[in-house]
Amino acid sequence: MRRFAFLLLTGLFFLLCPATARAEVRLLAPETAPVGQAFAITVEADEAPAHLALTWCGKRLALDLPKAASGYRQELLLGTDVLRAETGPQELSLEYAGKGGLSVIKRRIVLSAVAYPEQRLDLPAEQVNPPARLNDRLKKEREATQKALAAKTPERRYELPLARPVPGSVSSAYGLTRILNGEPRQPHRGLDLRGAAGTPVRAAAAGRVALVGDFYYAGQCVFIDHGLGMVSQYFHLSAVDVREGQAVSAGEVVGRIGASGRATGPHLHFGLAILSQNVDPAPLCGISPAPGGQ
Ligand SMILES: [Zn+2]
């Protein structure tokens, strides 16, 4: 009788958990990740699935699995944005079409708090609160930025570590809470690097220029699509050396340091978005700023 019950339970297990019993796609992801920081995930399969897409922070990314030494495998970065992410569990889901039809793998990644520092800045009042006549311009620039950050080229073009765009040290770290003229503002969603005006700015990785702009906040700026949802951003340039649509290699000069847009002096603002989440670029290009960002 006991043996019968055991067989029955085993049978029920396989009936109720077909996806577990014949998992064709495997997802390796961390259990925790600090808010604002990137993390790596790996998707692997014995055979390439006909359809594969992940969903993270409300964004979907279709994936192709390149052939690996054994089976098929893709390693990629995901991350969260200090502006939007809240601590606690966040779901990562991976949907694929395999032999058993459509399956979904779900993982809970717990986002942990990071004590990002605070920075006080005083700027001319017009730059802190732009006049209403600029509303249309700002809206267009926001839309162009969102469109560039939404790039989802299926081929991975980036290698780690990323190339450091300029050799200068960090003047403002990612995640700083900015207090402009006494008013708390959005946290700093990139990394400010020191450098004299005219210093060459290099692409963090291979990719394609998604956008070149001359924006109110970002000044002369370049956005590069590196594939799999990664887009790097270079702001406040004094000159741009690339055009939209151009393919660039890692380390190629894309512009020169300047102080265009909302900047108190020449520096490079280097941003890195993954699926529209601006993450901390510092650890990905071997920079570890001291606490306080100085
Ligand atoms: Zn900045």
Side-chain angles (χ1 to χ4, degrees), residues 18-29 41-54 63-65 71-74 76 92-107:
T20 315
R22 47 165 202 275
E24 298 155 325
V25 173
R26 295 173 293 279
L27 168 62
L28 286 81
I41 68 161
T42 303
V43 180
E44 44 183 40
D46 300 326
E47 290 172 38
H51 156 81
L52 184 66
L54 65 78
L63 284 176
D64 288 328
L65 292 190
Y72 294 79
R73 186 183 156 91
Q74 182 67 273
L76 67 146
L92 167 63
S93 73
L94 183 72
E95 170 192 296
Y96 67 95
K99 284 176 191 153
L102 205 63
S103 302
V104 180
I105 303 174
K106 290 184 194 256
R107 291 276 185 279

Side-chain angles (χ1 to χ4, degrees), residues 37-276:
Q37 301 294 312
F39 56 86
I41 68 161
T42 303
V43 180
E44 44 183 40
D46 300 326
E47 290 172 38
H51 156 81
L52 184 66
L54 65 78
T55 304
W56 173 249
C57 291
K59 305 282 183 200
R60 194 178 156 85
L61 177 69
L63 284 176
D64 288 328
L65 292 190
K67 185 108 182 76
S70 73
Y72 294 79
R73 186 183 156 91
Q74 182 67 273
E75 196 177 297
L76 67 146
L77 292 177
L78 294 178
T80 51
D81 194 315
V82 68
L83 178 67
R84 304 190 199 102
E86 288 180 11
T87 54
Q90 176 82 33
E91 189 177 89
L92 167 63
S93 73
L94 183 72
E95 170 192 296
Y96 67 95
K99 284 176 191 153
L102 205 63
S103 302
V104 180
I105 303 174
K106 290 184 194 256
R107 291 276 185 279
R108 253 167 52 118
I109 298 178
V110 178
L111 301 179
S112 59
V114 176
Y116 290 115
E118 209 176 79
Q119 185 188 44
R120 288 173 184 273
L121 278 180
D122 289 316
L123 290 172
E126 194 194 72
Q127 285 190 23
V128 177
N129 294 307
R133 65 182 160 78
L134 289 177
N135 285 353
D136 281 353
R137 176 184 173 184
L138 294 175
K139 183 167 176 270
K140 279 189 191 125
E141 292 175 3
R142 220 168 25 241
E143 285 167 359
T145 299
Q146 284 165 1
K147 191 178 163 212
L149 296 188
K152 292 176 182 174
T153 306
E155 185 195 355
R156 176 177 160 159
R157 304 292 313 280
Y158 61 88
E159 295 298 331
L160 297 175
L162 299 176
R164 189 173 176 145
V166 292
S169 57
V170 175
S171 58
S172 287
Y174 172 91
L176 281 175
T177 299
R178 291 208 146 153
I179 301 176
L180 293 188
N181 301 352
E183 291 178 37
R185 292 290 163 143
Q186 287 190 354
H188 190 218
R189 297 163 74 206
L191 188 66
D192 287 353
L193 297 168
R194 293 185 174 94
T199 304
V201 172
R202 296 171 187 284
R208 190 167 290 278
V209 178
L211 173 66
V212 171
D214 189 357
F215 292 172
Y216 180 78
Y217 287 110
Q220 291 196 65
C221 52
V222 172
F223 292 67
I224 304 176
D225 169 11
H226 303 292
L228 298 186
M230 182 189 282
V231 178
S232 62
Q233 306 137 55
Y234 311 82
F235 292 177
H236 311 307
L237 305 174
S238 58
V240 169
D241 293 61
V242 289
R243 56 180 200 285
E244 282 180 14
Q246 184 179 332
V248 294
S249 48
E252 191 171 329
V253 175
V254 298
R256 315 278 159 171
I257 284 187
S260 58
R262 194 173 79 179
T264 50
H267 73 280
L268 174 70
H269 172 102
F270 172 42
L272 192 77
I274 306 170
L275 293 182
S276 302

